[in-house]
């Protein structure tokens, strides 16, 4: 290696302190839970991109921190909060104004600053305010995290200068502080996601689960809630008008029996219970009905492919001799 290359390498690594994070893979797995909670709301499909971007920013923060670029990692965390807040701000606008503001945001023209969005959300008297009033302690703690990240990003204090960091601060202490911010930001993305719709929480309830269709949204796990949000905060979320409006509406739906739930949610057909399934045929989709009909043709059918193979169902038959079914006549319905 040439002298110039050695100098370049030295300069690139100068004052960088790499700190390995424990259980990094677990954080990535937990972030996947947020990604899997994407909304199915037709009027706010753009939200899913905001969710994915917020998750990516947290992943970037973890990678940057381990490489020693601590201020960049803090900036990425702060951006995850701002992207999530922008998502809620846009979602709370009426459809016409939302379309206009989303275009302004996308074209990088005039768009509200973070503080302006917060003021709007607090004054709007809609979902965000409903959540904030019921989860005030949670949002107070989140505000403290945001303020602390601002100090770090703006490099206030000599201890936040790269040239003063070497051997000036305990690695373990700094790592633990960063992990606290990671936990707070992951929780914040998950909570702000709940301002779009409450399905990540609703679907935890067995009574709700058996009264809903095959949603694209997956529920938050209890472990995830306990680690990043807290059951007390979620119980306060359940006091919101927003949550209860959804809950009460869904509870008016007919409850599916177990074999129908397995069909609707998991595309599993228990051939021994087809008669029971047919008692709730009015709860099945067109493709569900087709699959049930085909499964009744033979006890050797194990898999049923519908709509050019885009959808497939499976039965409790142990044999494996079924063939894909590409088209089924509507007359079977």
């Amino acid at each position: 290696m040439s002298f110039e290359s050695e100098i370049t390498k030295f300069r690139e690594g100068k004052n960088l302190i790499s700190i390995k994070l424990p259980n990094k893979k677990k954080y990535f797995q937990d972030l996947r839970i947020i990604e899997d909670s994407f909304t199915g709301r037709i009027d706010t499909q753009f939200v899913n991109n905001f969710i994915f971007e917020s998750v990516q920013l947290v992943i970037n923060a973890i990678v940057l921190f381990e490489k020693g670029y601590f201020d960049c990692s803090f900036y990425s965390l702060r951006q995850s909060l701002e992207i999530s807040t922008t998502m809620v701000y846009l979602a709370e606008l009426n459809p016409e104004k939302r379309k206009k503001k989303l275009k302004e945001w996308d074209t990088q023209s005039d768009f509200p600053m973070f503080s302006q969005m917060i003021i709007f959300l607090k004054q709007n008297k809609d979902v965000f305010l409903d959540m904030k009033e019921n989860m005030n302690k949670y949002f107070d703690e989140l505000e403290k995290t945001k303020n602390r990240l601002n100090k770090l990003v703006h490099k206030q204090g000599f201890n936040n200068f790269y040239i003063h960091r070497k051997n000036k601060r305990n690695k373990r202490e700094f790592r633990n502080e960063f992990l606290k911010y990671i936990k707070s930001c992951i929780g914040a993305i998950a909570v702000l996601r709940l301002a779009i719709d409450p399905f990540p929480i609703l679907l935890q309830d067995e009574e709700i689960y058996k009264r809903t269709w095959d949603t694209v949204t997956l529920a938050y796990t209890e472990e995830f809630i306990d680690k990043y949000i807290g059951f007390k905060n979620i119980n306060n979320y359940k006091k919101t008008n927003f949550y209860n409006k959804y809950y009460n509406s869904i509870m008016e739906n007919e409850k599916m029996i177990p074999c129908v739930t397995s069909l609707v949610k998991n595309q599993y057909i228990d051939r021994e219970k087809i008669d029971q399934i047919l008692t709730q045929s009015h709860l099945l989709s067109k493709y569900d009905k087709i699959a049930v009909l085909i499964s009744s043709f033979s006890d050797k059918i194990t898999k049923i492919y519908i709509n050019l193979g885009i959808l497939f169902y499976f039965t409790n038959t142990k044999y494996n001799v079924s063939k894909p079914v590409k088209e089924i006549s509507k007359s079977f319905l």
Side-chain angles (χ1 to χ4, degrees):
M1 184 179 293
S2 67
F3 178 73
E4 288 185 355
S5 296
E6 288 283 0
I7 291 295
T8 299
K9 185 177 180 181
F10 169 76
R11 295 293 292 179
E12 287 178 350
K14 187 179 179 181
N15 298 317
L16 293 181
I17 303 174
S18 62
I19 303 176
K20 292 298 180 183
L21 298 175
N23 302 319
K24 179 173 67 175
K25 290 183 179 179
K26 185 65 172 69
Y27 287 112
F28 290 166
Q29 291 169 0
D30 291 341
L31 285 165
R32 180 61 187 269
I33 291 174
I34 299 179
E35 289 180 319
D36 287 342
S37 74
F38 55 80
T39 183
R41 270 183 60 178
I42 301 299
D43 62 327
T44 58
Q45 282 301 290
F46 68 89
V47 159
N48 294 319
N49 286 324
F50 281 77
I51 294 172
F52 298 151
E53 182 66 13
S54 298
V55 167
Q56 184 62 56
L57 287 165
V58 176
I59 293 172
N60 292 352
I62 291 172
V63 174
L64 289 165
F65 184 83
E66 286 200 323
K67 290 183 176 181
Y69 301 100
F70 70 94
D71 53 351
C72 297
S73 68
F74 291 133
Y75 181 79
S76 195
L77 286 181
R78 191 185 72 165
Q79 285 300 101
S80 74
L81 297 179
E82 294 187 353
I83 287 291
S84 300
T85 303
T86 303
M87 168 185 77
V88 177
Y89 166 76
L90 289 168
E92 291 220 356
L93 298 174
N94 64 58
E96 185 177 342
K97 191 170 183 179
R98 181 191 303 145
K99 184 178 180 181
K100 179 174 179 264
K101 285 296 179 183
L102 186 57
K103 183 177 181 180
E104 290 175 356
W105 175 85
D106 193 36
T107 57
Q108 300 180 14
S109 55
D110 186 36
F111 193 78
M113 301 292 288
F114 178 81
S115 58
Q116 293 173 309
M117 288 189 287
I118 291 296
I119 291 173
F120 169 82
L121 290 170
K122 288 180 178 178
Q123 296 176 344
N124 193 39
K125 296 183 180 180
D126 208 338
V127 181
F128 181 82
L129 184 60
D130 190 12
M131 290 173 62
K132 195 173 186 305
E133 289 178 344
N134 284 279
M135 304 171 68
N136 59 313
K137 289 184 178 179
Y138 176 84
F139 281 98
D140 286 345
E141 288 300 315
L142 182 58
E143 184 65 22
K144 292 178 182 178
T145 297
K146 181 68 164 55
N147 290 337
R148 179 58 181 153
L149 288 173
N150 282 337
K151 296 290 185 183
L152 293 164
V153 167
H154 295 142
K155 305 186 80 66
Q156 185 173 335
F158 284 117
N159 64 315
N160 290 317
F161 280 21
Y162 279 97
I163 58 175
H164 284 283
R165 295 188 58 77
K166 196 167 186 180
N167 299 323
K168 293 289 185 181
R169 192 170 185 181
N170 184 285
K171 281 188 177 183
R172 180 178 295 180
E173 177 190 345
F174 190 50
R175 181 196 67 190
N176 290 340
E177 182 182 2
F178 178 73
L179 291 176
K180 183 176 71 173
Y181 299 144
I182 284 287
K183 181 179 177 182
S184 180
C185 289
I186 291 176
I189 299 169
V191 167
L192 291 170
R193 157 65 184 90
L194 296 177
I196 308 304
D197 66 57
F199 280 102
I201 301 302
L202 280 169
L203 292 171
Q204 285 192 311
D205 189 321
E206 187 83 5
E207 293 299 311
I208 291 292
Y209 183 79
K210 291 184 177 181
R211 286 175 166 83
T212 55
W213 54 96
D214 184 17
T215 62
V216 295
T217 308
L218 297 184
Y220 294 156
T221 65
E222 290 196 357
E223 179 188 5
F224 180 88
I225 291 173
D226 185 39
K227 183 176 179 180
Y228 295 105
I229 306 174
F231 289 112
K232 186 175 181 179
N233 291 318
I234 287 300
N235 287 335
N236 287 331
Y237 172 74
K238 290 181 178 180
K239 295 176 184 177
T240 63
N241 294 326
F242 182 62
Y243 176 87
N244 282 289
K245 187 184 296 183
Y246 273 85
Y247 180 89
N248 293 332
S249 176
I250 294 172
M251 284 300 291
E252 293 179 0
N253 297 340
E254 182 179 343
K255 183 178 179 179
M256 293 181 288
I257 58 179
C259 56
V260 173
T261 302
S262 295
L263 169 58
V264 171
K265 299 287 190 178
N266 303 312
Q267 292 70 54
Y268 171 74
I269 303 172
D270 187 340
R271 294 190 67 263
E272 297 176 359
K273 296 181 179 179
I274 287 180
D275 288 342
Q276 292 182 43
I277 291 174
L278 293 177
T279 64
Q280 289 189 323
S281 61
H282 53 287
L283 300 180
L284 305 181
S285 70
K286 176 179 71 173
Y287 294 126
D288 291 339
K289 293 175 182 178
I290 292 173
V292 171
L293 178 64
I294 295 173
S295 70
S296 67
F297 289 164
S298 170
D299 60 4
K300 291 181 172 59
I301 295 176
T302 60
K303 291 183 180 180
I304 302 163
Y305 296 84
I306 295 178
N307 197 18
L308 299 178
I310 295 174
L311 292 174
F312 81 89
Y313 297 74
F314 63 101
T315 73
N316 55 332
T317 301
K318 294 182 180 180
Y319 299 97
N320 190 19
V321 293
S322 63
K323 296 182 179 179
V325 177
K326 293 186 176 181
E327 295 184 7
I328 302 296
S329 171
K330 291 183 179 180
S331 63
F332 286 142
L333 295 178

